[in-house]
Amino acid sequence: MSLELAFELMMMLTSGCALLVSAWLFWRARNRRSMKALAGFGIMMALWCAGHVAVFYGQHGLGMALILANPLMPTFFLDFAIGFVNQGPGQRPWLGRLARYRGLLYAAAVLVSLLTLWQGGGDIIAFGPFEHYFVFRGSGWFNIGYTIFIGVLAHALLLWGFARQRGNRRRSIAAMFAAGAWGLLLATSFIFPSLGLLWYPWPMLLLPSYVLLLVYGVVRYQMLEVNAWANRALLWILMTGLLLGLMVLFSAMAGRLGMQALAAVPQWQLWLYSLLLLMLALALYQPVSKLVERLIYPGSRLDEQLLDTWLAQLRDADGWEALADAAQRLLARQMGQPVTVRLLTRPPLFEPSPGLELWCLHQAHGWQFRLRGFDDVTPGMRLTAEVFGSLLATRCGLLESSLQLAEAERKRVSEQHLVELGGLSAAMAHELRNPLNIISMATAGLEADRKAIIQDQLKRADRLIVDMLAYSGQLQIQPRPLALAPLLESLRPRFDWQQVSFDYCLPDNYHLYADPYRLQQVLTNLIDNALSFLRNHPDGRLRLEGGDTPGVLWLHNNGPAIEADMQAHLFRPFVTRRPGGSGLGLAIVQRIMEAHGGHIRHRHDAGWPVTFELYFPEEPTS
């Protein structure tokens, strides 16, 4: 192979590697502009190498245009450095302003390239094995000087960031400097012919390694996939080198030690020896693989036994709180430091805490995990968190399905029970009202006192029948936007307040999305229930407030507080502390709220002895 062909192949290989890496970076960058700028740097390097290949094939105009466009290469790298350094806490305003005017940097690079091309900033010469080789002339030195200046500026910015960054970002900057030193060493030989030193640019033959080392140094602490790729690549490089080294060793020793018999071995026997060496390499594969894994992922100890342990303990959790506690305990034990695990049905509104956090989010396409605060941990520890997060997300999906099935079965049994109770209640109402009507008519000739006592008991029995029918019947709601203040005013005349004060505090034009009849039923039951305790209470007060969240109402009263043992059973049917009550009022209210998709609960932290919180969902947007 001629030296010119070797140089040409290395330029093609560098161009191909740069294009592939840039395409992968651009695909993985998503919304990370700094990584897109690094992809642009790789594309410009690919075009720069393609310019040399074009010169070799006699396309001098195209080749010179691509080579003289090299100011764009450090400009992309400077754009990357600005975005890379100015991330995380402690962002600098002056870097933000510089980022906003990055378009001027690109415009300047294009202008320098066009001017030097127009002024004829390069020439094509022949020397050594090269028939066509590009050298700088005249204004081309300004081109290369501007390129060097922008490159120095980008690395100075990285040096400034190195002094201020911590953790993985600091490690990435150190890796960039190491790759930059290697690239400078390789590229220096390209300039020698322009200085009159007609030396073959041997270091340029290793230029493909610069692209890979630079990109790997940047993203090894940012993207876990790169480390997995490097793990496999380094493994096969070591294995191939080991095999070749052993073959060379045997060949060299045979000649130098006078092993003529070995030197005269037939060709088929050499193939047999190679096969034996290959088997030896396969035997060394496992220990070498473990060594490489420790180099790439230091501190990582993942095996099948550990994964089985994780799966078993996550599977034992039968609820969301238990699952979060188990996950937090397992991951913290493996990481050797505290880790917060959050299981969320929607993206949180709060800011993440400074420590390590693993979030499992329920999204449209299933459960997904996110890592927060893991930027500064080693790649091995991040790999551990990634694997654990994947297992936890899978377990969240299975637990959700299990709970949904259990809830569906509970609702089915409850609905079946209500159907049976509804039929029984309707039959009982019919059978009871007939004798009650007869008793009511029979009291017509009694004294007034006796008649009043009997009529009160008949009303109580009728109210119990009505409550049973309301609780056991099918609830059909037709929600619509409803102004609350007029409804409250219309309810005032219906109650015997007996010196109990009632007021409400609502935002202007306060609306609820609710069924008017059912909302009236809810308020009537709650107010009537409160009045039964407040009428005998001095300075009784009842107050309705609109909560800070839309659709939330708080109904307060200063009556006697609800006993602790009663609070857990408030909304169960036939449980009451009200004299003469049926025990169905709050149970009916709960059914109505659930039919709306809302809820009711007792609050003891609102500053009043008794507070009920009601929540009505907002009106759907579509």
Side-chain angles (χ1 to χ4, degrees), residues 50 362 428 498:
H362 184 272
M428 287 182 61
Q498 296 185 10

Side-chain angles (χ1 to χ4, degrees), residues 145-218:
Y146 181 83
T147 301
I148 294 174
F149 169 75
I150 297 297
V152 170
L153 183 62
H155 284 81
L157 182 59
L158 288 176
L159 184 62
W160 177 86
F162 180 83
R164 286 158 178 79
Q165 295 289 345
R166 293 292 182 270
N168 284 337
R169 203 165 296 279
R170 184 184 179 96
R171 299 184 190 105
S172 294
I173 293 175
M176 277 185 267
F177 269 98
W182 177 247
L184 179 63
L185 177 64
L186 300 182
T188 302
S189 61
F190 167 72
I191 305 295
F192 288 156
S194 300
L195 299 173
L197 304 174
L198 302 179
W199 300 340
Y200 185 88
W202 292 103
M204 293 284 286
L205 298 180
L206 298 176
L207 195 60
S209 64
Y210 168 62
V211 181
L212 298 178
L213 288 176
L214 176 63
V215 175
Y216 177 61
V218 172

Side-chain angles (χ1 to χ4, degrees), residues 357-380:
E357 291 190 352
L358 170 61
W359 292 356
C360 263
L361 295 173
H362 184 272
Q363 298 180 340
H365 50 281
W367 287 86
Q368 302 291 327
F369 71 92
R370 294 182 187 175
L371 299 179
R372 299 285 179 173
F374 280 80
D375 294 335
D376 292 337
V377 302
T378 62

Side-chain angles (χ1 to χ4, degrees), residues 464 467 570-578 580-588:
L464 179 59
D467 287 346
L570 272 177
F571 302 103
R572 292 184 181 178
F574 308 111
V575 174
T576 183
R577 60 177 189 144
R578 171 184 174 182
S582 65
L584 288 173
L586 291 180
I588 293 171

Side-chain angles (χ1 to χ4, degrees), residues 90-164:
Q91 296 185 8
R92 300 303 173 104
W94 63 272
L95 279 175
R97 290 192 295 270
L98 184 59
R100 286 196 295 271
Y101 294 105
R102 59 170 62 92
L104 296 178
L105 296 174
Y106 287 106
V110 172
L111 183 61
V112 170
S113 301
L114 293 176
L115 285 176
T116 51
L117 180 63
W118 178 55
Q119 292 290 331
D123 200 2
I124 308 299
I125 65 171
F127 81 94
F130 298 101
E131 295 182 7
H132 309 280
Y133 191 90
F134 176 87
V135 292
F136 290 101
R137 292 284 188 268
S139 61
W141 290 107
F142 174 73
N143 181 292
I144 193 65
Y146 181 83
T147 301
I148 294 174
F149 169 75
I150 297 297
V152 170
L153 183 62
H155 284 81
L157 182 59
L158 288 176
L159 184 62
W160 177 86
F162 180 83
R164 286 158 178 79

